[in-house]
Amino acid sequence: MTNNIKYLFAGCLVGCAICAATTACSDWDDHYDVTKSADGSGATLWQQMQQQDELRDFCEVLQATKVFRMHKKTTVSYADLLNSGQSFTVVAPKNGTFNRDSLIRLTQTNQGDSVVEKSFVLNHLSRSTTSLKSVEQNMLLLNSKHVTLKDNAIQGVRVSRANCHAMNGVLHITDGPLPYGYNLYEALCDLPEMSAIGAFLRQYEEDYFDGDNSVSSGIVEGVPVYVDSVVIERNRMLERIGYINSEDSTYWVVAPTTEGWNRAWENTSKYFVYDQKVLKRDSIQQFWTNRALLDDAIFNMTDQRSVNDSLVSVPYNGWRRTWVKGKPVFHVFLHPFLEGGILNGAQAMRCSNGILYKVSEWPFQPEETFFKEIWVEGEQTWNITEDANCIYNQRSQAADSISGNGYLQVLPSDPKKANGWKMTFRIANTLAGDYDICLVVLPKSVYNQVSPDLRPTKFKAIINYVDLEGKAQSFTCINSRSGKNDTNFENDPLRADTIVLAEGFHFPTCNYDQTDIKVSLRLETTINRELTKYNREMFIDCVYLRPRRIIEN
């Protein structure tokens, strides 16, 4: 119930610090005092149920189950609560239709009592007083689940006796218990075949004190004192990947069962190997491996236009290169139900807030999810970590051939001297994997269309990175265009030229989400006395890393 106030009665128990059944019921009665039912009956719901032999099992479970408040077990049972002045609708299943003894045994421990409370007792109680009618209705249960009342049935369970009015609500007797509708978060956390995913998600559950909605009695010795505190149970991970625990939202989730998840996890974790100088490197690796597998697996259904044509995952709106030249690149999955689609052959499990699609294997490719292209725009001068013997200017120009609608103009600081210039660009968020390292250089006409200098620029490129031990390493790129072991590159001065500086270059370590950026590209012009053939002015559009291959077992 992340981001819902685990304040079972929606803030209506304010001022009721529960110490014992007598005081708590008295306090609660002040808030929900219903002295007479519509038909004049003076019996409470609890008293009515005790008079029905067929509800003996249900009554015993209610007596054994204690109310939890602020995650603490109180002395108040649900029998006490239904005998108070608060109003409810009770859906009571008949004897023999559920395992009474098993439920009562669970209530003997705090954890077990909490489970019985949420999944069974609160699954049969509602704060609204709802009578069964000929028209279809929806009713909100106390565990935030929604059920449908239709055709003399509640959530498909036949009602044998309906609309038994009491002084504090309405009683419906059913032929069996109401099915508990897992929401997507509960399914991932509680289903045995999803245990690996659930173990990761549960790590981020926490209780958050909501001071704004708590009732303060003042300040004692400089410390605020609250007569009634509101605690919100939340999961910080869901704030990042999607509120799949919210009963008021609708999501789809595609997730592999445990064996498939473990295989995908093993392969994916190889991309997130950090060097030994990174603190808590193993924990960071685990975190980002899990995120890599889950980030594109969740779909908010309010964002979908035509689910048979395409699905967009939760991060869709948050990344600027979702579409490139009119085609979907990231976070967009075409024809999900057709052969090769991410939902093809998946087993659909309906949940209270969407659908869980179970698959045997993680249905994505790294290149379409987490193993993304990396772009360092030339005009983003904050990526320049060092420069020598040069001056540079940011230029803006909108054109299809110019990435980011801007570029960097680099010139020698002293045109009269023949020495070359140097410039280093930092490259963030590299993974431990293979990339083609590319440099995009614009033609000289991008700045001077009247009389452009048509001499190319001659330069070297050095990749700086760290090894597994965290030691600095460098690699001087080889010009594959030349057909020989040449470290000099030249750009084509007549066109936007994408120069592959290194093909399939392997980074042994991951630098993802790190403030200490350890990967960079250094450019050095190598023109000395060749000024008649070469020009030292360069128009840098971007540095571009494209994923080269998938790491296999």
Side-chain angles (χ1 to χ4, degrees), residues 197-210:
I197 301 175
F200 167 67
L201 293 177
R202 286 195 184 279
Q203 296 178 49
Y204 298 92
E205 292 179 347
E206 66 177 19
D207 294 337
Y208 169 73
F209 172 68
D210 185 356

Side-chain angles (χ1 to χ4, degrees), residues 267-268 270-271 365-368 370-372 431-437 503-508 545-553:
N267 285 331
T268 302
K270 296 175 184 178
Y271 290 92
Q365 295 297 323
E367 290 91 343
E368 62 185 7
F370 64 88
F371 195 25
K372 295 181 174 69
L431 302 185
D434 294 2
Y435 294 89
D436 289 341
I437 315 295
E503 296 183 18
F505 182 82
H506 180 70
F507 290 108
L545 277 64
R546 82 184 155 222
R548 179 60 183 266
R549 68 176 176 85
I550 301 171
I551 299 175
E552 302 290 352
N553 277 330

Side-chain angles (χ1 to χ4, degrees), residues 33-88:
D33 188 15
V34 182
T35 58
K36 289 286 185 179
S37 69
D39 60 5
S41 171
T44 65
L45 287 164
W46 175 247
Q47 290 166 346
Q48 278 207 10
M49 285 190 291
Q50 281 192 306
Q51 295 170 10
Q52 311 295 326
D53 288 340
E54 61 187 347
L55 300 182
R56 182 178 59 256
D57 290 355
F58 187 59
C59 287
E60 290 184 15
V61 173
L62 293 175
Q63 285 179 307
T65 307
K66 299 298 190 292
V67 175
F68 268 73
R69 187 161 184 268
M70 304 304 178
H71 312 298
K72 295 180 181 179
K73 188 175 181 177
T74 72
T75 59
V76 180
S77 73
Y78 279 89
D80 298 322
L81 202 59
L82 296 175
N83 200 37
S84 70
Q86 299 181 60
S87 58
F88 296 93

Side-chain angles (χ1 to χ4, degrees), residues 78-297:
Y78 279 89
D80 298 322
L81 202 59
L82 296 175
N83 200 37
S84 70
Q86 299 181 60
S87 58
F88 296 93
T89 294
V90 178
V91 180
K94 292 180 181 178
N95 296 339
T97 60
F98 57 91
N99 194 327
R100 175 199 62 186
D101 295 337
S102 176
L103 291 172
I104 291 176
R105 279 196 300 271
L106 279 173
T107 63
Q108 303 309 304
T109 66
N110 287 352
Q111 183 178 3
D113 190 277
S114 178
V115 170
V116 173
E117 179 191 48
K118 177 182 177 181
S119 62
F120 185 76
V121 173
L122 297 183
N123 203 53
H124 291 85
L125 303 181
S126 174
R127 265 295 173 200
S128 63
T129 52
T130 307
S131 297
L132 200 63
K133 301 176 183 178
S134 58
V135 296
E136 182 176 326
Q137 303 173 84
N138 287 318
M139 182 170 67
L140 177 65
L141 302 176
L142 279 181
N143 60 3
S144 299
K145 307 296 180 181
H146 294 267
V147 292
T148 301
L149 290 75
K150 179 183 179 182
D151 298 333
N152 203 39
I154 301 176
Q155 204 64 10
V157 180
R158 179 179 174 273
V159 178
S160 59
R161 291 179 59 193
N163 304 334
C164 303
H165 290 274
M167 65 171 287
N168 60 340
V170 182
L171 170 66
H172 305 295
I173 301 175
T174 57
D175 287 347
L178 300 183
Y180 181 81
Y182 281 107
N183 63 37
L184 288 162
Y185 179 70
E186 293 167 337
L188 291 174
C189 289
D190 296 342
L191 294 178
E193 64 269 32
M194 297 289 163
S195 59
I197 301 175
F200 167 67
L201 293 177
R202 286 195 184 279
Q203 296 178 49
Y204 298 92
E205 292 179 347
E206 66 177 19
D207 294 337
Y208 169 73
F209 172 68
D210 185 356
D212 292 338
N213 290 306
S214 298
V215 180
S216 174
S217 64
I219 297 177
V220 177
E221 296 181 354
V223 178
V225 175
Y226 295 89
V227 295
D228 195 81
S229 301
V230 174
V231 175
I232 297 175
E233 188 182 82
R234 68 181 182 184
N235 186 305
R236 290 181 295 112
M237 181 54 60
L238 302 190
E239 297 172 1
R240 298 174 173 88
I241 65 175
Y243 294 105
I244 56 175
N245 61 334
S246 172
E247 298 289 348
D248 297 324
S249 301
T250 304
Y251 288 88
W252 285 4
V253 176
V254 54
T257 51
T258 299
E259 290 185 0
W261 173 269
N262 289 340
R263 282 190 290 270
W265 203 97
E266 183 178 355
N267 285 331
T268 302
S269 65
K270 296 175 184 178
Y271 290 92
F272 294 95
V273 176
Y274 290 82
D275 70 77
Q276 294 179 4
K277 293 185 179 180
V278 176
L279 298 177
K280 299 181 179 180
R281 57 194 294 264
D282 292 339
S283 297
I284 299 173
Q285 179 189 31
Q286 291 180 10
F287 175 83
W288 284 116
T289 299
N290 285 303
R291 283 287 303 274
L293 295 176
L294 281 178
D295 275 1
D296 278 297

